[in-house]
Structures are given as C-alpha cells and as structure tokens.
Amino acid sequence: MNEIINKLSFYMEHSFVRYALIVGVLIALCSSLLGVTLVLKRFSFIGDGLSHTAFGAMAVASVLNLTNDMLFVLPATVICAVLLLRTGNNTKIKGDAAIAMISVGSLAIGYLLMNLFSTSANLSGDVCSTLFGSASILTLTKAEVWLCIILSIIVVLAFLFFYNKIFAVTFDENFAKASGTKAGLYNLLIAIIIAVIIVLAMNLVGSLLISALIIFPALSAMRIFRSFKSVTICSALLSVSCALLGILISIIYSTPVGSTIVAVDIGAFALFSVIGIIVQKTGN
Amino acid sequence: MPQLECRNLSLGYDSKVIVSNLNFSINKGDYLCIVGENGSGKTTLMKTLLNLHSPISGNIITGDGLKSNEIGYLPQQTIVQKDFPASVKEIVLSGCQGRCGLRPFYKREEKNIARENMKRMGIDNLSSRCYRELSGGQQQRVLLARALCATRKLLLLDEPVSGLDPKATSEMYDIIEELNSQDKITIIMISHDISAAVKYASHILHIGDEIFFGTKKDYLKSNPGGQFTSNERRNEK
Ligand SMILES: Nc1ncnc2c1ncn2[C@@H]1O[C@H](COP(=O)(O)OP(=O)(O)OP(=O)(O)O)[C@@H](O)[C@H]1O
Ligand SMILES: [Mg+2]
C-alpha cells in the first residue's frame, strides 16, 4: 500500500498527470450529465455515431494538413449531431439507422483517407490510438487543458441553466411543444452540447469507448434512483469517481487509460445493479 | 374575436384526408365537446389545433391574445419510456415550464401552483413516487395535474376520464366545470361519454360522416346528434 502511495505522489509531481486528472474528471462530469437524456431518448449510440464522425473529420483535417484540427473537427461534429437528432424527430429514417449510417460511413471514409494520404509511418498505431484513446491524455499541453476547462464550464453551465427545459423536452416532447416550450430549440441545444462533449472525450477514451462514458453512469444510477434529479446527480458523482479511479489505476499499473475507466464504469454498473435488486426486494 | 377559429380545415396523414372542410370557432369561456366514433379523427384534430401536426389544407386562426404558453393539454396517450426515472412532483412541475420562458428555475409561485393541482387531483401523497410505478388511473391524474399547471386560458383534453374510477370521473368533471365557469378558461374536450358531454358542454363538434358544429341545444335536435344520443340511451337501458 505504501508503495502505491509513494508511486502516486511521485507521479503527482508531474504536471502531465495533474492535467490528465483534471481533464479526465471534467470530461467524465460533462458526459454523464447528458447521458440520462440520451439513454431516455433512445440515443445511446449517438456517442458512437458522433465520435466516428469526429474520427472521419480528424482524418480529413490531417489530410488537409490543418495545424489545429479542433477548428475543423468541432464544427463538423456539431453539424452531424444536429442532423442526427433531427432525423430522430421526423423519422423517415429511424434514429438508430441514421446513426449507424453516419457512424460506419465516416469511419470507413476516415480510414480510407488516412490510408491514402497519411504521411505517418505508424498508421495502424495512429488509427488504434484514435479509436481506443491513447496516451495522448498524458501528453496534453497547457492550451489543451485550458480549452477543455473552458468548454466543460460552458457545458455544465448550459446544462444547469436549461435543466428543467431538458427534462420537459425529454419526458414528453409533444406536451412541451403544445404548452409553449420551444422543443426544437432545446433539442438543437442538446445536440450541440453532445457534439462538444464527444470531441472533448475523444482525447480521453478514444472514439470507440465514448458511448461507455456517456451511458454507463446513467444506467447505473437508474438501477437505484427513481427521480430525474437524483439520477442526474448520482450519475455525475459516479462518473467522476470512476474516472478518477480509472486514471489512477492506469497510472499505477500502466494500463490503457480509456479502457481502464470503462472497466471501472462496468464494475460500478454491476455493483449498482446488485444494490438495485436488493433495494427492490427489501422495499416490497 | 374568437380565441380559435378553423376555416376549411382538412386533416390527415401524408396527404390521406381523414376529415375535410371543418369550420368552427371557439370564444373565450366556451366549453366545446368533440364527439365521434373511434378513428374519426378527434385526436388528429386536437394535435392539429396544437400545432403538433400540420393540416392538409385550411387555416387555424388564433385570436383574443391567445399565446401558446397559455394552453394546457392532456394527451390521449403518453408514451413514456418504460425506464424513465421521474417523480410525480417533477412531472407536474414541468407543466409550468411554458410560464418560465428563458428563466432557468421555477419560482415559488409556480411550485405552489403545482402543489395546488396535485391536491386537486388527490395525488399530493404520491408526490415523490416514481411515475412509472403508478397505476394507470394514477398516471392519468398526474398528467391532468400537469395539464392544469400549464392552463391559463385554454385547456385541451383528450379523453380525460378514461381510466378514472367513477368518483374520480365526477370529480374531474366538476374541476373542469369550475375552471370553465369561475376562471373563464376555455375548454376543448374529446369524450366518448356523451351524457356528460351533453350535460356540461356549451358547444358540440361531432366528427364523422356527417360533421356538426353548434350549441348543445341544436345538437340534440340535429341528425347526428339525435342518432348518437339515442344510441347512447338505448345502451344505458
Ligand atoms: N400517425 C398516424 N399515421 C397515419 N394514420 C394515422 C396516424 N394516427 C392516426 N391515424 C389514422 O387517423 C384516423 C384518425 O385517428 P384519431 O387518432 O384522430 O382518431 P380518434 O377519433 O381520436 O379515435 P379514438 O376515439 O379511438 O381516440 C384513424 O383512422 C387512424 O388510423
Ligand atoms: Mg383519440
């Protein structure tokens, strides 16, 4: 035990570890906030879809040799998010099918472009790290950390500010519209926030594992809690603690960051499911 | 000026017309009952009036300063996700959302309105229960309380008493009556309960092969009205 603490305090002295912790916690917090809404709107897979879009956009950006690919990736992902959540409403192509189409499509195009034009020697390594998250969270620059902090603050504030409206629109969109809430506007807002979160989270867990970060805390909280507020608070706390734990474990045992966080999330889900069953049994 | 007026309205889905040439108008303080057989297009009409569905042709004109955030609505069916975590209190309070505009949080006044309406519907003891764990009738009351929270000028109800027990049903009719006569709230109600419709409504809109719109008195004399109500009487015997 002592050894672990020593090792930790040794690592803590390095700024890159502190950066990783800050960024990890913030991303976990943001993604869990909207997770509840996404799960309930049956958009669990939007994380996947959008992150693949972001992957495709990144490929395009690197082919175009853009120096700051954020500037291209973020808008592209936002546009896709808006398109996807719109199709969810007027259902000519069902939400899940549209997400699958866009996600697989941009993955394929992205990989194709990288293959055709990439200048990097280690192509499969590059692809792998974009998909599963890389050590890149450990190589964050100060600027990236600040960007992440600012975007996270915006996301959290927007969520708090529109919390009641997001609830109304998620629970019953028709009623919200009928009684004068601008449901379309708030759906758009949700889409944009999600896109921002996903672009942020790609650094942490990579594009394949983002859905886990969004869904698991919400699902775990829903095992035990029964009101929207309690589920939201619980999933935020849970997500943050899982991310912290995951990052620490991955530092100590030098496991991949993204998959470790997701593994901790899965563990928490199992734990909460068991507690949920016990609570149900004793409650009745 | 009428609060709501329909001119040559045709309703339907994907250009398939279900009802055509609807003409009627509703004034402040009216109590309109919409009757007709299953599938005749009552719910579709209500959704069209609420702008949730677009008409195939014709116009809906609102007047008398009616704004969309002054309208309460009770849907016929609310498809709520099976695992949606939401407490009764949260749902009823969300009925006040239209009053908020851009303001992020509910005022104390709005919380009081929610509490009042929960009391009215006799669900104040359920306020922290989870919606999806309630019985059908209890859920209906929750949605009614939410609709009442949103109502300031106009209340649209799609079969409000389905699933309620006889006592709750007559209480429901009393509440609606009270809103109508005391608070001068305009009521548009879809109902299969023709005797209640005839008892409480001031106007009746009958949708079907033959469309009728007029006051209750004229309806009883009219062709569809006579048939529909006499059927009902026969059934009751
Ligand atoms: N989403 C839809 N798409 C296509 N057709 C629809 C849709 N919803 C309803 N319809 C059709 O429109 C017609 C009118 O339906 P509506 O729900 O308005 O009937 P209603 O008068 O409310 O009946 P009920 O008394 O059973 O509630 C029906 O024939 C129905 O099949
Ligand atoms: Mg109907």
Side-chain angles (χ1 to χ4, degrees), chain B residues 38-39 41-44 76 158-159 190 192:
Chain B
N38 288 139
K42 305 181 294 297
T43 300
T44 310
Q76 181 172 23
D158 197 341
E159 305 194 15
I190 293 173
H192 290 296

Side-chain angles (χ1 to χ4, degrees), chain A residues 19-66:
Chain A
Y19 288 166
L21 280 173
I22 294 172
V23 170
V25 164
L26 287 176
I27 290 173
L29 176 67
C30 292
S31 56
S32 65
L33 288 181
L34 276 175
V36 188
T37 303
L38 288 181
V39 169
L40 293 170
K41 278 184 162 249
R42 294 292 176 266
F43 273 121
S44 298
F45 270 107
I46 196 163
D48 265 35
L50 287 182
S51 56
H52 294 177
T53 313
F55 171 79
M58 259 180 192
V60 173
S62 68
V63 167
L64 293 179
N65 258 330
L66 295 180

Side-chain angles (χ1 to χ4, degrees), chain B residues 37-107:
Chain B
E37 294 164 20
N38 288 139
S40 54
K42 305 181 294 297
T43 300
T44 310
L45 170 63
M46 192 165 273
K47 286 190 176 157
T48 312
L49 291 179
L50 284 165
N51 249 329
L52 298 175
H53 186 76
S54 39
I56 291 179
S57 65
N59 303 314
I60 300 168
I61 301 152
T62 55
D64 214 359
L66 181 69
K67 292 195 222 80
S68 70
N69 65 359
E70 296 167 327
I71 300 176
Y73 170 48
L74 175 79
Q76 181 172 23
Q77 281 176 326
T78 303
I79 306 148
V80 174
Q81 310 288 0
K82 248 194 156 160
D83 44 1
F84 203 114
S87 67
V88 169
K89 198 160 71 188
E90 287 175 318
I91 294 169
V92 175
L93 199 53
S94 77
C96 292
Q97 187 51 245
R99 296 168 193 250
C100 287
L102 269 181
R103 173 159 44 83
F105 302 109
Y106 295 110
K107 281 195 219 156

